[in-house]
Amino acid sequence: MVKWNNRLSVQFAVGSGVRQGSCLSPSVFNVFINFFIVQLRHKQTGCHISSLYVGCLLYADDILLLSPTVAGLQEMLDVCSDSARSLSLSFNVNKSHCIVIGKMHSYVIQPMYLDSQCIEWTNSIKYLGVYLQSGKTVKFDINPCKRAFYIACNSIFMHGADINELALLSLQESYSLSILMYAAPALAFTSKQIQELNACWNSVIRRLFGYNKHESVKAVLLGLGRLNVRHLIMQRKLKFYKSLYLSNNSLLYNIFCMRLMLYSDSDTMLQTVFDKTGDAMQVIRSMF
């Protein structure tokens, strides 16, 4: 039965599934979802880092399949279809998309099929709140993030007309800035994108303290003991790399080592973690 406002509905039978919030639910879910991973790993189709299989990445029920070839991707989709059928499960094809990153991104590729249903190729997908764009290299679309950021900012300004500036700043940092910085340490933004994100936050500081559009807010941030977005990303990236370096998860550690080998000469944050240098704020300040 359902309880609502201290009232109970009529009794009804639940013929399948588990109760929402049940302690058994995560365990049952893990048993089912692990079957897909085991089948794909056994097939050995998909991407690898050295000898480590990374062709299937999951967060809860969001499954990401990575394949270096179109034929390999279709084979992985077939494995998923067969696995789902044996478990009496089904995929929502309307929420499934394919995207190309690499030299073939401009080619016309035939649609993929999942359980006899067509999956179209797209130029952009959203995965775990991050918008990936098709291209020769991995690119990220920050425009949806900027829109969500401004919506949150305007909402706080609209409901905080009688609150003093420092309290409003604290609210903006807690609720709006976190939207702008979502997943930023793990993403490879271009210099232009970082400038755009920095401009978004600077516009909030200007509105908060009554500055004109073209006035610099560097002195305000310095006086308040705050970092701008560019250096906030550097600070958080340093902590992110450090957590990868110290991780017991072999996949995360291997990703860090691979990036260290490829980008250590150009990425100061990576070199800092590898040298086990002091705390994040001290390193950031030493760069000024």
Side-chain angles (χ1 to χ4, degrees):
M1 63 183 64
V2 176
K3 185 177 182 180
W4 179 258
N5 285 337
N6 294 321
R7 294 188 179 183
L8 298 176
S9 70
V10 296
Q11 295 183 358
F12 56 91
V14 179
S16 62
V18 293
R19 292 184 296 110
Q20 185 175 0
S22 169
C23 296
L24 185 62
S25 301
S27 299
V28 173
F29 174 82
N30 288 341
V31 169
F32 274 74
I33 206 70
N34 186 65
F35 185 71
F36 291 96
I37 304 173
V38 170
Q39 296 301 313
L40 288 165
R41 184 184 294 167
H42 178 72
K43 200 75 174 178
Q44 284 297 304
T45 304
C47 292
H48 292 74
I49 295 179
S50 297
S51 59
L52 189 66
Y53 182 69
V54 292
C56 177
L57 304 179
L58 298 101
Y59 186 87
D61 61 343
D62 290 319
I63 304 176
L64 183 66
L65 302 180
L66 301 175
S67 173
T69 65
V70 175
L73 178 60
Q74 184 58 65
E75 190 174 349
M76 296 174 76
L77 290 170
D78 292 339
V79 171
C80 288
S81 297
D82 295 339
S83 301
R85 199 176 298 112
S86 66
L87 296 173
S88 299
L89 298 176
S90 62
F91 287 99
N92 187 344
V93 179
N94 294 327
K95 292 185 177 181
S96 303
H97 307 280
C98 295
I99 189 172
V100 180
I101 296 174
K103 296 180 180 179
M104 294 181 63
H105 73 93
S106 58
Y107 285 49
V108 177
I109 307 175
Q110 293 298 317
M112 298 287 98
Y113 289 91
L114 180 62
D115 198 18
S116 302
Q117 298 184 71
C118 179
I119 303 179
E120 298 291 342
W121 293 91
T122 183
N123 293 322
S124 176
I125 62 170
K126 179 184 178 183
Y127 185 69
L128 302 182
V130 175
Y131 290 82
L132 296 166
Q133 291 182 306
S134 177
K136 195 170 183 179
T137 59
V138 178
K139 296 187 295 185
F140 305 97
D141 185 4
I142 63 172
N143 290 318
C145 173
K146 289 166 59 178
R147 287 193 292 269
F149 167 75
Y150 282 124
I151 290 172
C153 287
N154 291 331
S155 177
I156 291 174
F157 278 126
M158 183 175 65
H159 293 92
D162 299 326
I163 303 176
N164 67 59
E165 291 89 345
L166 292 180
L168 270 179
L169 176 62
S170 180
L171 287 172
Q172 294 287 11
E173 288 176 326
S174 298
Y175 296 100
S176 304
L177 184 58
S178 59
I179 296 174
L180 202 63
M181 300 293 294
Y182 175 74
L187 306 182
F189 290 133
T190 64
S191 297
K192 182 180 178 182
Q193 287 178 321
I194 294 177
Q195 289 176 0
E196 290 181 29
L197 295 175
N198 199 54
C200 290
W201 183 238
N202 286 349
S203 66
V204 172
I205 301 298
R206 289 190 182 95
R207 180 175 175 181
L208 195 57
F209 295 99
Y211 278 65
N212 294 323
K213 184 176 181 181
H214 299 292
E215 288 184 283
S216 173
V217 295
K218 289 182 179 179
V220 178
L221 292 173
L222 183 63
L224 293 170
R226 262 69 169 188
L227 297 173
N228 60 25
V229 167
R230 179 185 298 276
H231 291 97
L232 281 172
I233 292 175
M234 293 169 67
Q235 179 193 30
R236 297 187 184 195
K237 185 170 287 191
L238 179 61
K239 294 179 179 179
F240 176 64
Y241 285 162
K242 186 175 181 180
S243 66
L244 292 181
Y245 177 61
L246 299 175
S247 175
N248 294 323
N249 185 302
S250 58
L251 172 60
L252 297 179
Y253 182 77
N254 284 341
I255 289 174
F256 172 80
C257 291
M258 182 180 67
R259 187 162 182 86
L260 180 67
M261 289 186 291
L262 294 175
Y263 301 103
S264 60
D265 292 337
S266 59
D267 196 326
T268 310
M269 296 294 97
L270 272 173
Q271 197 60 50
T272 300
V273 175
F274 190 68
D275 292 340
K276 301 180 183 178
T277 315
D279 96 327
M281 289 298 291
Q282 183 179 351
V283 174
I284 294 296
R285 290 196 179 101
S286 69
M287 294 174 143
F288 292 138

